[in-house]
Amino acid sequence: MQKRHRIFIAINLPEDVKRELAKYQEKWPELPAKWTNKNQLHITLEFLGDLTDVEIGDVCKIVGEVTKQHKLFSVDLNKIIYGPPKKMPPRMVWAGGEKSEELAELKQDLQEYLLKKISYRPEGRGFTPHITLARISEWEFRKIEPEERPEVNEDIDFVVPVESIEIMESELKRGGPSYTILESHNLEE
């Protein structure tokens, strides 16, 4: 049986944005959450699941083709909120972004090309860019009286330039997931 790898396609963040976002874990120390390591912060475009080496090769080719059809753009991050929105108890703390035409078209093209070549299940709900800052222990969160729960709702203003997208591997380890960039593809200037 072939070894399979957990693969996703992501937009990685500039170091200064990662550094600023990581500071928010100090704002809510009472929140029962596991905060994401600063170096692991990213925007997931597409989670592909467990793929073989051959499928990963196909993904790399496809991402290379798709990025040649898209120009540089940016993503505006404007809120830190509980995520997914309206879910109670929340599962995460997110840095949320604004939807953009460029991002929607890039994601749609990736899905369209990928589905022709590999078998995976795209998320059916609408896509709003977000970065997972923390994963909340739902059980612990439920034990906090509703009026005692920290309010997580901050306005932020970060612009993330999107110059490339990366094919990433996620390895689940004891201390949390570890991410490795397998290949990076630049968008057109």
Side-chain angles (χ1 to χ4, degrees):
M1 190 166 129
Q2 290 188 45
K3 183 176 187 311
R4 295 177 98 55
H5 309 268
R6 285 174 51 91
I7 303 296
F8 63 97
I9 299 170
I11 296 169
N12 280 304
L13 309 176
E15 219 32 61
D16 60 327
V17 173
K18 287 181 184 180
R19 201 171 28 257
E20 290 302 311
L21 289 174
K23 290 178 183 176
Y24 281 92
Q25 61 187 282
E26 297 162 15
K27 185 162 175 93
W28 299 289
E30 71 282 13
L31 197 61
K34 178 162 176 30
W35 291 86
T36 304
N37 178 308
K38 170 181 79 85
N39 297 321
Q40 310 253 10
L41 297 174
H42 65 275
I43 298 170
T44 300
L45 284 173
E46 210 58 44
F47 179 75
L48 303 175
D50 295 325
L51 302 182
T52 64
D53 290 339
V54 170
E55 290 170 319
I56 293 169
D58 290 338
V59 168
C60 291
K61 281 185 205 148
I62 290 166
V63 172
E65 290 169 20
V66 170
T67 53
K68 288 179 185 151
Q69 300 170 26
H70 291 268
K71 296 205 177 302
L72 305 176
F73 65 97
S74 59
V75 173
D76 296 329
L77 299 176
N78 57 9
K79 274 250 186 264
I80 295 189
I81 56 173
Y82 285 126
K86 298 185 179 95
K87 171 136 178 38
M88 199 44 76
R91 292 196 337 247
M92 296 170 234
V93 174
W94 280 355
E98 293 181 24
K99 294 181 181 184
S100 76
E101 197 174 310
E102 297 94 343
L103 186 59
E105 287 174 4
L106 175 62
K107 184 168 173 54
Q108 184 178 344
D109 285 352
L110 282 169
Q111 278 185 356
E112 195 175 298
Y113 281 71
L114 287 164
L115 284 168
K116 290 177 186 172
K117 206 71 168 143
I118 65 165
S119 176
Y120 81 102
R121 214 175 314 173
E123 290 183 2
R125 62 185 191 272
F127 176 71
T128 301
H130 64 274
I131 298 157
T132 300
L133 299 179
R135 288 182 174 21
I136 295 172
S137 165
E138 290 182 50
W139 184 75
E140 292 287 327
F141 190 88
R142 285 179 201 271
K143 292 195 310 192
I144 303 170
E145 292 297 325
E147 62 277 357
E148 303 277 319
R149 293 174 181 160
E151 184 169 333
V152 176
N153 189 358
E154 291 273 317
D155 288 330
I156 58 173
D157 186 18
F158 294 115
V159 176
V160 177
V162 181
E163 299 169 355
S164 66
I165 58 174
E166 283 73 38
I167 296 99
M168 310 276 293
E169 179 173 4
S170 170
E171 291 183 82
L172 301 177
K173 297 184 176 180
R174 235 170 198 250
S178 169
Y179 303 139
T180 306
I181 297 174
L182 300 180
E183 207 165 277
S184 182
H185 291 274
N186 292 328
L187 298 171
E188 292 298 304
E189 289 193 33

